[in-house]
Amino acid sequence: MFTSTPTAVLIPATLFRERNCTNESTPPRSLSTLHFRIFHAFLQCLLRSRDFQIGSPDRFIITDSSIHYIAQENNGVEAVSKVLLPYPENQAKNLAFLLVTITEGKGKTKTSSDRLPVDVIHPEGMPSLTWYAVSLPKELSKGGSLTLEVKAVFTHLLTPFPEKITQADAQLVAFQDSAHYLSPYAVKVQSLTVKLPEPKVESYTKLENTKFSGSEIKYGPYENIPPFSLPTIIVHFANNKPFSVAQELVREIEVSHWGNVQVTENYNLIHAGAELKGEFSRLDYEERPHVRGASALRSLVARLPARAHSIYYRDEIGNISTSNVYSDSVKTLLEIEPRYPMFGGWRTAFTIGYGLPLQDFLFKSEGKRFLDITFGCPMNDMVIENIYVKVVLPEGSKDISVVAPFPSKETREAKLSHLDIAGRPVVVLEKKNVVPEHNQNFQVYYRFSSLSLLREPLMLVFGFLLFFVACIAYVHADLTISKSSSSYIAKLQWDEVQTAIQQFQNIMNRVLVIHNKLDASLRDLSRTGDVQACKAARKTADAFLKELTKELKPLLSFLQSSPQALHIVAKVEELVVKEKELQEKVMLKHSMVVDSYEKKSGGKDIDNRIAAVQQKITLLRQEVDDLLEVIDEI
Amino acid sequence: MAAQETSQSATFRHAFGNVLSFAVLLLIGVMAFSIRLFSVIKYESVIHEFDPYFNYRVTQFLTKSGVYDFWNWFDDRTWYPLGRVIGGTVYPGLTLTAGTLWWILNSINIPLSVETVCVFTAPVFSAFASWATYLLTKEIKGAGAGLTAAALLAMVPSYISRSVAGSYDNEAVAIFALIFTFYLYIKTLNTGSLFYATLNAIAYFYMVCSWGGYTFIINLIPMHVLLCIVTGRYSPRLYIAYAPLVVLGTLLAALVPVVGFNAVMTSEHFASFLVFIIIHVVALVYYIKGILTPQMFKVAVTLVVSVGMVLCVAVLAVLIALVASSPTKGWSGRSLSLLDPTYASKYIPIIASVSEHQPPTWPSYFMDINVLAFLVPAGIIACFLPLSDASSFAVLYIVTSVYFSGVMVRLMLVLAPAACIMSGIALSEAFDVFTRSIKFHLVGTTQNPQDNAGDATKVTQNDVKSEKSEDTVKERSSRKSKKDKENIEKPSLVSRVEKRLLVLPLETSVMAVFLLVLLGAFYVVHCVWAAAEAYSAPSIVLTSRSHDGLHVFDDFREAYAWLSHNTEVDDKVASWWDYGYQTTAMANRTVIVDNNTWNNTHIATVGTAMSSPEKAAWDIFNSLDVKYVLVVFGGLVGYPSDDINKFLWMVRIGGGVFPHIKEPDYLRDGQYRIDSQATPTMLNSLMYKLSYFRFVETDGRGYDRVRNTEIGKKHFKLTHFEEVFTTHHWMVRIYKLKSPRNRIRGKTKRSKSSLQKSGTSPSSKRSTRKRNPWQ
């Protein structure tokens, strides 16, 4: 992003002599909308005549927690393409965010340009300062003027003093800075305002023109300050807001083209304020929470996108039940409480996760898809020392590129998850010192064919198909090792015997069915008296029975010959004999009844005549059934 | 053509029956799994209670470090400063099972966490257990009984109580292993197949890996073998079922580090070897009988008996001498307390102090097995009609398990499968009789004129049904001599004839079926209630319902999370042993004692510290490098299982080793009291002080909601300890030992006050110093 030339050098102040610039003293933009304890500094500078000057700078420093803003406006740079912003080393290493814009107009009419490119440069002979060169969009000609607004956010500038407090003490912090704006240019007029979170101040450095009113300390205005003037000020004040610092945050954003973006955030949190010493008494804490434990971190609020769903909040030992979700059409607010109130120096770790609808975050442009999602964490008032944003793209994504609004270290890895073969490509963005100002959208562009979506279901289908085919193959395959072993042959023979017996049973059952049919024909006869029909039935039955007897013969001979069927043959033969007997009796009965009908004898008479036969039939039938069952059991 | 149709429909019905029973089994598995998910749905997917946390921690170690490190794992996080050899003292079955599951899932890229796998291991294995029950009961009484028993087992509350999702305990897989071992034993007994005998030994090995309850198997099977021999049911099948199991099983069991040489040295295994000898003698006798003529046999018997008796007496004498020489007669304390229920309460308070080692009350039988208790006798009767090898085993199983469940509550778990099998048999037999009667009547009315036609179909139907059940008979008869086969065929024929005669009136049968269904419905309702309400609470997170909604008490995890994030990694935390496993697993801090109560002296040291006055306790704890003391206190919210209620065990166990702790000092009128009637020793004990420190300031009078009384000593200061954390509902309070320099002021103050009072505490101080083994 920062495309300015790397050869920027310190602009000699002598080049910009005798130039008049208008003094635009725009009131500083209030950052109090960022509703937390921050140390803001606004600086307005004006460059005026003679030397390249910064005039009338108003610096506002809003002190709160570990985030610090300094915004400044430079105007009146002449025939230059770069403006230099130096910061002392101790501040520069904690500089999390730097935004420089050109503003025009005053008050409500003020408009801001896009952010200007900023570069770090290392001029010779200035070891204890870090220089940032702001490239202007167009060179500022002689006599021209320009208002720059610089917003710088620092972390870890407030040091708790004393470092350890008891539960009942208020948390005091000290802040150190220069009363004058550190600049390589001469400054015409400047002032500094330090805003405090509470109107309680232990002590502050008193210089000339120092005013303390309400929760503001104002230094200045000072006029005609030469370059590099550094009168130190120290402000020691009460700040009971908890300093929540995530030492590590891992955000995993997993894109599923089935319609979900799953975000998982692992926090490693510490309360970086003054450490608690001595006892923690729950009793005191519950009874007077604002006196005993004023600086404790009770809850955090995460502002999630609208339509976030499946929200969870847990740590490694399970769900944490102290959380609430409020949602409306614009946002979802997740209010979470750590398992215990966090005092200074206490740590905790937890995970929150939520799903987001895919169509809100994934878009298409020029044949590529891109994911457009916020970089920082959704918690408002949290400093993150190390953030790892991992974007997990679906397997098979290609041509991956990242567009982020600020520099970050980018690496790639792969993640194996459900039904993956090659792994899903993961883009890892790593950044140190992240503040809520980094909560800007970044884009990940990639190509992904919609057909790849079907790969995993197809794989499943194919897998199950293979499984079933394997099952079928196993059932039908003969896995015997030795085809000539006696047990294998015995088994084969036994199988044959079994099929034979099954056929035999089949035939027997059919015979019995024919018997039943004959019986039924007799009943029909008694109802209708149609002798001819009955005779016809008898004829067909006879034919069938003959056929079946024929079929029976080879089976019987096979069974008799098979050595495996030795113990069954007896039963089978017995059954055949019994069945023959039964058949004879049934035939006898049938012919007797038909005869009687032909002779037109009375019903009683018939009954009497066949009674004996009937008895025998029942008996035989019983025996046949039993035998069939016995054979069946074999 | 019609004939063909009927035969086709028979085979079709046969196939349909197979598919149906497969589907039913599948549904039973699904039910067994899903009924155990109440805990996940009502609470969360989390490990429950105490022991599961240890198993979870071991599994985590296994998945992280691999199996070799696991065997050699010396855990220095527990039993400080002794440590514990985990690999050699833990039953690894559950851990290895879950570890393997996790490994398989991860290697096919299903990234489940170890915790998830652990949580769902128990439900998965209860599905397996119900399938194993089906197989076992099918071997005993046929497929119908098998399905019924499987359905009953899938939701028996006793088993649910140990296998809800999250209850990651040994029993979860052990019950499956137990039933499956029994199944393979019966299968071997029915088939006489060496293949199944080998599988049986492997299943037994898995059981040995999983649970100390394997001794139940290795005693029950010999008992059954002995029973068979005594009742003249010896057969080669019995030999095949038993001998390989003893040889292979013992060899395999000795491979498990925690068992090792115990597999041949302890008396628990003695019965199996004795029966092993007996079965060989019997086998020899049968063999000789086969090759000799009757006269010769008689001569041989007299010869062998006279010589054999002398030998046997000699061997027995040696054995008895060996066994008698060891003080516990070769039995472990837990086994002894099974044989003599009063043993533990007399000699080992640490076993007696565990609530699940108490004998159960009658209502707990109704709670845990519900209507099965009434069905079991019917099942036993059904097992005698006719009595087979398999059904005699079932009878023996239920009889022994009823006894064991009467000794210890936790062994109710062993009773549950037996009760399910018996009830399954009873229900299935009853349904068989009733439906047959109904069918007979219905067929009789509609098809009366066609006398035999209906009968034929009925016969085929019966065949279909019985065919499955007689599968085994089929296989068996194929391999047996003719004599055996006829023996079996005859009784089955007889029973069939008998069955036919058993026809009840239609109304009675319909009514009875209706009542049975009602009974089953009652059982189902009870089981679902038990699963949802009684046994699903994870016990680390508590809920209570009040008029303003659900209230969650998550204090335990609050405290453990605090410990894990805000103390040094090497800090030692002292607490009563109940919380040891949880502290190591959730807070990852070193503990002094934990739920593996292997060192009585160490536990007694902590008990002594808890029951000593502050100074003496500080000395003990300081000598153990303890930095934090954790107590569980339920007095504010009315949580009954807190440390004050467990205090009697601390005194008793502490007093058992260190005699200067005398139980009567803590008792007033034979009771532990903490109200104004309490003894001064009690009110000065560390446990009292840590529990009630500044408690009076909550409501002004110090009303304890568990004991329902005002506490005795209300205002006091701690001299040697300082409060560092108390959870939201005061359920867990953590104190830090003051460093010696800082407590000087308190010490001098205290010595003054103790001079004013009496000389009791200095004396106890001195004796503690002597008694404390860590100085």
Side-chain angles (χ1 to χ4, degrees):
Chain A
M1 273 101 286
F2 302 93
T3 50
S4 60
T5 52
T7 54
V9 287
L10 189 61
I11 307 158
T14 48
L15 273 180
F16 310 101
R17 221 170 290 155
E18 305 277 339
R19 293 289 171 269
N20 288 321
C21 306
T22 48
N23 181 351
E24 289 185 49
S25 59
T26 47
R29 187 161 60 98
S30 168
L31 290 192
S32 60
T33 46
L34 296 155
H35 60 276
F36 51 98
R37 47 302 149 152
I38 288 165
F39 165 38
H40 285 237
F42 274 75
L43 177 109
Q44 200 188 10
C45 318
L46 203 111
L47 300 185
R48 202 177 229 294
S49 65
R50 304 201 324 143
D51 275 339
F52 179 71
Q53 275 188 340
I54 300 176
S56 175
D58 289 342
R59 240 178 346 148
F60 266 68
I61 301 173
I62 301 179
T63 57
D64 230 344
S65 87
S66 26
I67 310 178
H68 315 270
Y69 292 87
I70 295 179
Q72 58 187 28
E73 292 179 17
N74 287 9
N75 74 31
V77 181
E78 164 200 19
V80 278
S81 59
K82 286 187 195 314
V83 177
L84 294 175
L85 308 170
Y87 288 103
E89 202 82 311
N90 67 326
Q91 286 185 2
K93 73 169 189 273
N94 290 321
L95 178 71
F97 182 77
L98 185 64
L99 176 70
V100 184
T101 51
I102 299 174
T103 57
E104 280 161 25
K106 268 189 186 183
K108 284 178 185 169
T109 59
K110 195 175 85 174
T111 54
S112 294
S113 71
D114 286 345
R115 58 182 302 158
L116 301 176
V118 178
D119 227 10
V120 181
I121 57 171
H122 303 280
E124 307 260 321
M126 292 285 181
S128 62
L129 293 180
T130 306
W131 296 81
Y132 295 90
V134 181
S135 309
L136 300 179
K138 60 174 188 216
E139 279 198 357
L140 194 64
S141 57
K142 285 187 180 182
S145 88
L146 166 78
T147 306
L148 288 182
E149 186 177 301
V150 178
K151 181 173 165 189
V153 183
F154 299 94
T155 59
H156 300 298
L157 274 197
L158 300 181
T159 42
F161 187 82
E163 285 182 354
K164 291 189 176 182
I165 54 171
T166 66
Q167 192 182 348
D169 293 342
Q171 178 172 267
L172 301 175
V173 292
F175 165 68
Q176 184 186 342
D177 198 6
S178 148
H180 296 168
Y181 177 60
L182 176 66
S183 171
Y185 315 115
V187 180
K188 182 93 200 259
V189 183
Q190 65 167 318
S191 70
L192 165 71
T193 308
V194 180
K195 280 193 168 180
L196 304 177
E198 289 171 57
K200 269 189 248 168
V201 123
E202 287 287 305
S203 66
Y204 59 94
T205 310
K206 292 190 177 75
L207 303 173
E208 49 172 334
N209 270 340
T210 308
K211 263 188 287 175
F212 174 59
S213 62
S215 58
E216 278 186 8
I217 301 169
K218 192 161 182 188
Y219 291 93
Y222 305 112
E223 286 182 26
N224 293 329
I225 307 292
F228 302 116
S229 143
L230 274 172
T232 306
I233 55 159
I234 293 176
V235 186
H236 188 206
F237 57 97
N239 185 355
N240 272 324
K241 299 276 174 51
F243 286 19
S244 53
V245 176
Q247 292 179 314
E248 189 181 274
L249 167 64
V250 180
R251 291 187 86 208
E252 189 179 276
I253 301 161
E254 182 154 4
V255 180
S256 159
H257 279 246
W258 294 98
N260 192 31
V261 177
Q262 180 67 35
V263 184
T264 313
E265 296 171 356
N266 291 301
Y267 290 86
N268 221 328
L269 202 66
I270 185 172
H271 184 310
E275 280 181 29
L276 179 73
K277 73 172 179 210
E279 301 198 339
F280 160 65
S281 166
R282 173 69 67 168
L283 185 81
D284 292 340
Y285 174 73
E286 300 271 320
E287 275 182 349
R288 303 165 75 194
H290 296 293
V291 181
R292 314 278 179 144
S295 62
L297 171 64
R298 285 182 184 77
S299 69
L300 293 160
V301 178
R303 191 188 161 101
L304 309 179
R307 300 207 283 156
H309 60 86
S310 319
I311 301 167
Y312 65 86
Y313 168 45
R314 59 166 294 157
D315 63 6
E316 57 179 353
I317 56 176
N319 178 51
I320 306 172
S321 50
T322 44
S323 58
N324 264 316
V325 174
Y326 314 93
S327 60
D328 56 33
S329 58
V330 192
K331 64 187 184 298
T332 308
L333 284 185
L334 170 66
E335 187 193 0
I336 59 177
E337 280 177 41
R339 282 196 189 273
Y340 39 86
M342 290 183 58
F343 284 85
W346 286 16
R347 292 154 195 276
T348 192
F350 60 86
T351 304
I352 63 173
Y354 46 93
L356 299 169
L358 185 74
Q359 68 269 22
D360 293 4
F361 296 93
L362 192 76
F363 309 97
K364 264 186 166 176
S365 78
E366 300 161 12
K368 272 192 154 186
R369 295 162 199 266
F370 70 96
L371 178 78
D372 186 37
I373 202 161
T374 55
F375 181 85
C377 87
M379 311 271 179
N380 263 337
D381 35 7
M382 192 183 278
V383 174
I384 301 148
E385 290 184 352
N386 289 301
I387 191 170
Y388 299 89
V389 179
K390 300 183 174 182
V391 181
V392 183
L393 298 172
E395 197 178 14
S397 306
K398 291 184 293 278
D399 300 343
I400 302 162
S401 58
V402 181
V403 177
F406 34 76
S408 56
K409 195 179 151 197
E410 186 187 329
T411 49
R412 297 282 162 85
E413 56 186 46
K415 181 193 175 188
L416 281 169
S417 187
H418 300 278
L419 298 171
D420 285 348
I421 291 168
R424 307 180 182 186
V426 182
V427 178
V428 186
L429 301 175
E430 192 184 333
K431 192 165 169 55
K432 284 187 191 319
N433 256 344
V434 175
V435 288
E437 273 64 27
H438 288 108
N439 241 344
Q440 303 172 10
N441 281 16
F442 72 107
Q443 290 83 32
V444 179
Y445 289 86
Y446 62 98
R447 284 184 200 283
F448 180 75
S449 105
S450 300
L451 275 179
S452 309
L453 263 187
L454 293 175
R455 200 175 56 86
E456 291 181 349
L458 283 177
M459 217 163 78
L460 269 189
V461 167
F462 189 67
F464 273 98
L465 184 77
L466 259 179
F467 174 72
F468 288 126
V469 166
C471 281
I472 292 169
Y474 173 77
V475 168
H476 286 274
D478 187 355
L479 294 178
T480 317
I481 298 166
S482 158
K483 304 269 182 209
S484 57
S485 77
S486 59
S487 66
Y488 178 68
I489 291 168
K491 188 178 164 279
L492 281 189
Q493 283 174 343
W494 177 243
D495 284 348
E496 279 172 23
V497 170
Q498 269 185 329
T499 44
I501 285 177
Q502 234 162 33
Q503 283 170 340
F504 172 72
Q505 278 175 324
N506 219 340
I507 291 169
M508 276 300 148
N509 282 333
R510 275 153 74 188
V511 168
L512 291 182
V513 169
I514 291 168
H515 291 180
N516 289 343
K517 271 196 182 158
L518 280 176
D519 254 9
S521 75
L522 285 184
R523 271 197 299 278
D524 282 347
L525 182 67
S526 69
R527 213 173 52 241
T528 60
D530 187 352
V531 181
Q532 289 313 312
C534 192
K535 274 188 176 162
R538 167 76 181 265
K539 241 181 205 164
T540 49
D542 274 343
F544 269 127
L545 282 176
K546 250 181 208 158
E547 223 170 85
L548 288 178
T549 328
K550 246 188 231 164
E551 274 180 37
L552 209 54
K553 259 183 197 158
L555 279 180
L556 274 178
S557 56
F558 169 75
L559 280 179
Q560 274 155 357
S561 65
S562 170
Q564 290 282 322
L566 265 181
H567 54 284
I568 313 169
V569 169
K571 296 270 167 212
V572 171
E573 280 171 351
E574 195 186 340
L575 182 60
V576 172
V577 173
K578 291 269 183 222
E579 195 274 331
K580 272 264 159 59
E581 218 173 305
L582 179 66
Q583 198 174 322
E584 272 167 28
K585 295 290 172 202
V586 170
M587 291 302 166
L588 184 67
K589 179 186 161 194
H590 195 264
S591 34
M592 275 162 78
V593 174
V594 173
D595 273 359
S596 330
Y597 264 94
E598 279 180 331
K599 287 170 191 162
K600 311 246 190 292
S601 36
K604 268 246 171 78
D605 193 26
I606 300 169
D607 279 355
N608 285 340
R609 280 175 62 189
I610 62 166
V613 185
Q614 182 62 48
Q615 221 172 3
K616 262 208 174 143
I617 288 175
T618 324
L619 211 69
L620 278 169
R621 182 70 189 240
Q622 184 73 40
E623 277 174 21
V624 167
D625 281 350
D626 281 349
L627 276 170
L628 264 178
E629 250 174 52
V630 168
I631 289 171
D632 197 43
E633 269 173 29
I634 296 162
Chain B
M1 308 130 279
Q4 257 165 354
E5 257 168 44
T6 48
S7 72
Q8 264 175 0
S9 76
T11 48
F12 179 71
R13 213 179 282 135
H14 187 126
F16 184 69
N18 274 344
V19 170
L20 191 69
S21 50
F22 183 77
V24 167
L25 273 179
L26 207 67
L27 286 179
I28 285 173
V30 169
M31 181 181 69
F33 182 82
S34 53
I35 201 172
R36 285 164 171 79
L37 298 186
F38 275 110
S39 62
V40 171
I41 292 159
K42 288 184 71 176
Y43 295 87
E44 57 181 286
S45 170
V46 73
I47 309 280
H48 290 192
E49 306 215 327
F50 305 105
D51 287 17
Y53 267 99
F54 170 72
N55 296 325
Y56 169 49
R57 184 164 159 257
V58 176
T59 315
Q60 272 182 321
F61 183 86
L62 173 74
T63 51
K64 220 180 285 162
S65 310
V67 74
Y68 287 102
D69 282 348
F70 165 66
W71 291 124
N72 298 323
W73 186 18
F74 178 81
D75 184 10
D76 55 1
R77 295 251 135 193
T78 62
W79 296 97
Y80 183 83
L82 305 173
R84 178 184 170 194
V85 185
I86 300 276
T89 57
V90 79
Y91 285 100
L94 176 76
T95 316
L96 290 176
T97 307
T100 315
L101 275 181
W102 179 85
W103 180 78
I104 291 172
L105 287 174
N106 271 272
S107 55
I108 56 170
N109 288 336
I110 299 178
L112 288 183
S113 67
V114 179
E115 190 189 10
T116 315
V117 174
C118 292
V119 165
F120 291 102
T121 300
V124 167
F125 270 79
S126 29
F128 292 169
S130 51
W131 291 333
T133 310
Y134 163 75
L135 293 172
L136 174 59
T137 320
K138 193 182 136 192
E139 285 303 310
I140 296 171
K141 270 288 170 186
L147 287 176
T148 325
L152 290 177
L153 185 101
M155 51 182 170
V156 65
S158 169
Y159 186 29
I160 286 180
S161 73
R162 291 315 190 96
S163 63
V164 290
S167 180
Y168 178 58
D169 213 345
N170 286 337
E171 288 91 336
V173 297
I175 292 302
F176 158 71
L178 180 85
I179 301 170
F180 198 63
T181 312
F182 285 156
Y183 156 68
L184 285 170
Y185 170 69
I186 296 294
K187 183 84 183 170
T188 324
L189 194 57
N190 279 345
T191 57
S193 150
L194 259 178
F195 172 68
Y196 284 114
T198 318
L199 284 188
N200 189 17
I202 292 169
Y204 171 68
F205 173 59
Y206 185 61
M207 177 71 193
V208 177
C209 281
S210 311
W211 197 31
Y214 75 92
T215 45
F216 181 62
I217 295 183
I218 206 61
N219 284 301
L220 182 64
I221 289 180
M223 272 167 80
H224 178 243
V225 171
L226 206 60
L227 184 81
C228 284
I229 291 172
V230 169
T231 52
R233 287 173 162 274
Y234 172 80
S235 66
R237 287 175 289 109
L238 189 68
Y239 182 84
I240 290 171
Y242 186 66
L245 174 67
V246 172
V247 178
L248 284 177
T250 307
L251 281 175
L252 287 171
L255 291 180
V256 183
V258 65
V259 177
F261 278 103
N262 284 351
V264 284
M265 306 270 281
T266 57
S267 296
E268 280 96 340
H269 307 82
F270 183 64
S272 64
F273 299 122
L274 191 69
V275 174
F276 187 67
I277 296 167
I278 291 173
I279 200 171
H280 275 92
V281 172
V282 173
L284 190 70
V285 169
Y286 269 82
Y287 176 70
I288 291 170
K289 206 178 182 178
I291 57 171
L292 292 183
T293 57
Q295 287 85 7
M296 286 290 284
F297 181 67
K298 258 179 200 160
V299 175
V301 162
T302 44
L303 196 79
V304 167
V305 161
S306 49
V307 178
M309 281 297 262
V310 175
L311 272 175
C312 278
V313 167
V315 168
L316 269 182
V318 170
L319 275 177
I320 287 168
L322 273 178
V323 167
S325 65
S326 84
T328 56
K329 311 275 182 291
W331 295 83
S332 68
R334 271 170 215 214
S335 310
L336 263 186
S337 64
L338 276 183
L339 299 179
D340 174 10
T342 59
Y343 178 83
S345 51
K346 265 190 277 181
Y347 301 108
I348 322 174
I350 203 144
I351 290 183
S353 75
V354 181
S355 62
E356 59 184 21
H357 290 165
Q358 311 296 330
T361 51
W362 284 113
S364 72
Y365 274 96
F366 189 73
M367 177 70 198
D368 275 0
I369 58 174
N370 202 241
V371 302
L372 305 187
F374 311 119
L375 290 170
V376 163
I380 296 178
I381 292 169
C383 277
F384 279 98
L385 297 172
L387 188 69
S388 64
D389 292 350
S391 64
S392 69
F393 178 78
V395 173
L396 200 65
Y397 178 22
I398 184 91
V399 169
T400 47
S401 61
V402 164
Y403 169 74
F404 287 132
S405 74
V407 177
M408 266 191 203
V409 177
R410 77 194 288 211
L411 292 182
M412 195 76 98
L413 195 59
V414 176
L415 171 67
C420 288
I421 292 166
M422 282 301 168
S423 313
I425 292 172
L427 274 180
S428 133
E429 294 285 310
F431 271 116
D432 211 24
V433 169
F434 296 135
T435 48
R436 189 148 25 79
S437 314
I438 293 171
K439 210 184 279 167
F440 178 83
H441 285 294
L442 292 182
V443 168
T445 47
T446 56
Q447 300 195 320
N448 226 0
Q450 318 182 354
D451 44 344
N452 275 335
D455 234 18
T457 57
K458 196 188 103 192
V459 168
T460 48
Q461 259 180 0
N462 269 355
D463 288 348
V464 170
K465 226 197 241 167
S466 59
E467 191 168 17
K468 270 195 104 160
S469 64
E470 305 296 334
D471 248 357
T472 56
V473 181
K474 201 197 292 177
E475 276 175 55
R476 206 192 318 171
S477 55
S478 67
R479 285 166 207 201
K480 252 182 312 161
S481 64
K482 271 187 185 175
K483 214 195 268 174
D484 270 344
K485 173 195 62 199
E486 264 162 48
N487 276 347
I488 283 159
E489 271 167 15
K490 263 179 196 154
S492 72
L493 201 64
V494 172
S495 72
R496 199 159 291 281
V497 173
E498 266 176 278
K499 258 195 225 159
R500 241 173 231 174
L501 297 177
L502 275 175
V503 170
L504 295 170
L506 179 66
E507 296 76 20
T508 322
S509 336
V510 171
M511 198 62 203
V513 167
F514 175 71
L515 285 178
L516 279 183
V517 169
L518 206 66
L519 194 72
F522 182 65
Y523 174 73
V524 172
V525 168
H526 173 81
C527 289
V528 172
W529 172 82
E533 301 291 332
Y535 291 134
S536 286
S539 95
I540 56 159
V541 47
L542 310 162
T543 55
S544 80
R545 243 172 250 282
S546 59
H547 55 277
D548 55 345
L550 196 72
H551 202 74
V552 180
F553 299 85
D554 204 358
D555 285 36
F556 288 107
R557 285 192 295 188
E558 184 182 342
Y560 293 133
W562 186 85
L563 273 178
S564 110
H565 291 295
N566 298 308
T567 59
E568 295 296 318
V569 175
D570 285 328
D571 285 348
K572 281 85 192 171
V573 180
S575 65
W576 189 232
W577 59 263
D578 291 25
Y579 313 103
Y581 278 166
Q582 291 185 347
T583 310
T584 42
M586 280 198 264
N588 193 21
R589 291 294 172 268
T590 310
V591 295
I592 305 301
V593 291
D594 68 20
N595 309 42
N596 177 264
T597 52
W598 67 276
N599 189 325
N600 194 28
T601 317
H602 220 48
I603 291 178
T605 310
V606 173
T608 306
M610 292 294 190
S611 28
S612 302
E614 231 181 301
K615 169 79 177 79
W618 190 92
D619 284 338
I620 295 176
F621 280 144
N622 192 44
S623 65
L624 285 167
D625 278 0
V626 168
K627 206 160 171 199
Y628 294 94
V629 180
L630 180 152
V631 294
V632 172
F633 170 63
L636 185 72
V637 287
Y639 172 64
S641 46
D642 64 351
D643 278 347
I644 292 287
N645 275 1
K646 289 170 185 169
F647 189 55
L648 81 149
W649 294 109
M650 301 182 203
V651 172
R652 218 171 267 175
I653 293 171
V657 177
F658 304 106
H660 69 278
I661 300 290
K662 296 183 192 68
E663 199 177 354
D665 290 349
Y666 298 85
L667 298 175
R668 178 82 75 193
D669 310 328
Q671 277 187 51
Y672 281 88
R673 317 183 62 142
I674 43 94
D675 55 4
S676 48
Q677 299 288 306
T679 60
T681 325
M682 178 78 183
L683 295 181
N684 282 320
S685 68
L686 182 69
M687 181 48 74
Y688 178 89
K689 283 193 166 176
L690 297 190
S691 290
Y692 293 112
F693 177 61
R694 296 189 75 185
F695 178 58
V696 69
E697 292 169 51
T698 53
D699 60 350
R701 58 195 189 111
Y703 186 79
D704 185 318
R705 283 182 209 172
V706 176
R707 267 66 59 174
N708 282 324
T709 166
E710 272 183 40
I711 58 173
K713 191 173 170 183
K714 293 179 179 174
H715 300 278
F716 55 87
K717 284 202 165 117
L718 294 176
T719 53
H720 293 74
F721 295 85
E722 62 176 350
E723 184 185 13
V724 286
F725 189 72
T726 298
T727 57
H728 191 244
H729 303 100
W730 288 48
M731 273 163 62
V732 184
R733 310 192 70 181
I734 299 171
Y735 294 84
K736 191 176 180 180
L737 270 73
K738 279 188 183 167
S739 54
R741 190 171 48 80
N742 284 350
R743 67 185 165 80
I744 283 172
R745 202 169 59 90
K747 193 183 184 184
T748 49
K749 212 195 267 173
R750 202 195 150 278
S751 63
K752 263 181 225 157
S753 66
S754 70
L755 277 175
Q756 281 162 3
K757 267 196 234 152
S758 65
T760 51
S761 38
S763 76
S764 75
K765 202 192 303 169
R766 235 174 291 131
S767 59
T768 312
R769 208 167 267 155
K770 239 182 275 166
R771 294 286 174 179
N772 184 358
W774 305 112
Q775 281 194 332

